[in-house]
């Protein structure tokens, strides 16, 4: 189970976009990285490939390491540490270390 999931809102802790927030669009589990909407934008130069696709510069998000983001707790709206615990019905859930509420 991971601390960060798709569609979470996270805050960026380091780099050019430090302090910005965005929604997690993709988790790259094997590299412990996340792609966050609007964060760490990079320009890629696409070569022309035939008549239908001219050369272009495409902007997209670069993946950033999970340790560089912090979850924004949906309950208390603060950047927080995430813990794990088991509910009475046996389900493992994440919880906010700041407000102590279950996140999901
Ligand atoms: Zn909280």
């Amino acid at each position: 189970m991971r601390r960060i999931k798709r569609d979470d809102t996270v805050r960026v802790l380091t780099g050019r976009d430090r302090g910005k927030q965005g929604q997690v669009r993709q988790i790259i589990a094997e590299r412990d990285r996340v792609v966050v909407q609007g964060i760490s934008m990079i320009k890629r130069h696409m070569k022309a490939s035939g008549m239908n696709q001219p050369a272009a510069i495409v902007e997209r998000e670069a993946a950033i390491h999970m340790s560089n983001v912090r979850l924004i707790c949906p309950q208390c709206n603060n950047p927080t540490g995430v813990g794990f615990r088991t509910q009475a019905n046996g389900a493992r859930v994440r919880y906010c270390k700041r407000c102590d509420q279950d996140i999901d």
Side-chain angles (χ1 to χ4, degrees):
M1 201 165 173
R2 302 197 160 264
R3 284 169 212 286
I4 305 289
K5 291 184 178 179
R6 199 189 148 104
D7 294 332
D8 280 346
T9 299
V10 295
R11 176 173 293 187
V12 180
L13 301 178
T14 56
R16 187 160 45 97
D17 289 322
R18 184 166 63 170
K20 284 193 192 170
Q21 290 178 205
Q23 202 177 36
V24 175
R25 295 178 56 179
Q26 195 188 341
I27 306 277
I28 304 167
E30 63 272 21
R31 289 196 289 138
D32 284 333
R33 281 171 185 268
V34 293
V35 175
V36 184
Q37 181 134 41
I39 300 298
S40 193
M41 298 300 291
I42 50 167
K43 287 193 169 88
R44 288 198 67 159
H45 297 259
M46 307 290 284
K47 273 186 185 168
S49 59
M51 297 289 284
N52 295 326
Q53 212 193 326
I57 297 169
V58 178
E59 266 200 300
R60 67 173 183 87
E61 291 95 350
I64 53 178
H65 199 265
M66 270 187 201
S67 64
N68 292 335
V69 299
R70 214 148 209 242
L71 180 70
I72 304 288
C73 170
Q75 312 292 343
C76 67
N77 255 324
N78 285 304
T80 187
V82 178
F84 298 106
R85 63 186 170 203
T86 306
Q87 289 178 320
N89 65 6
R92 287 265 285 168
V93 294
R94 298 184 295 170
Y95 74 94
C96 170
K97 286 183 174 172
R98 197 183 275 243
C99 68
D100 203 43
Q101 299 229 47
D102 290 348
I103 294 167
D104 51 19

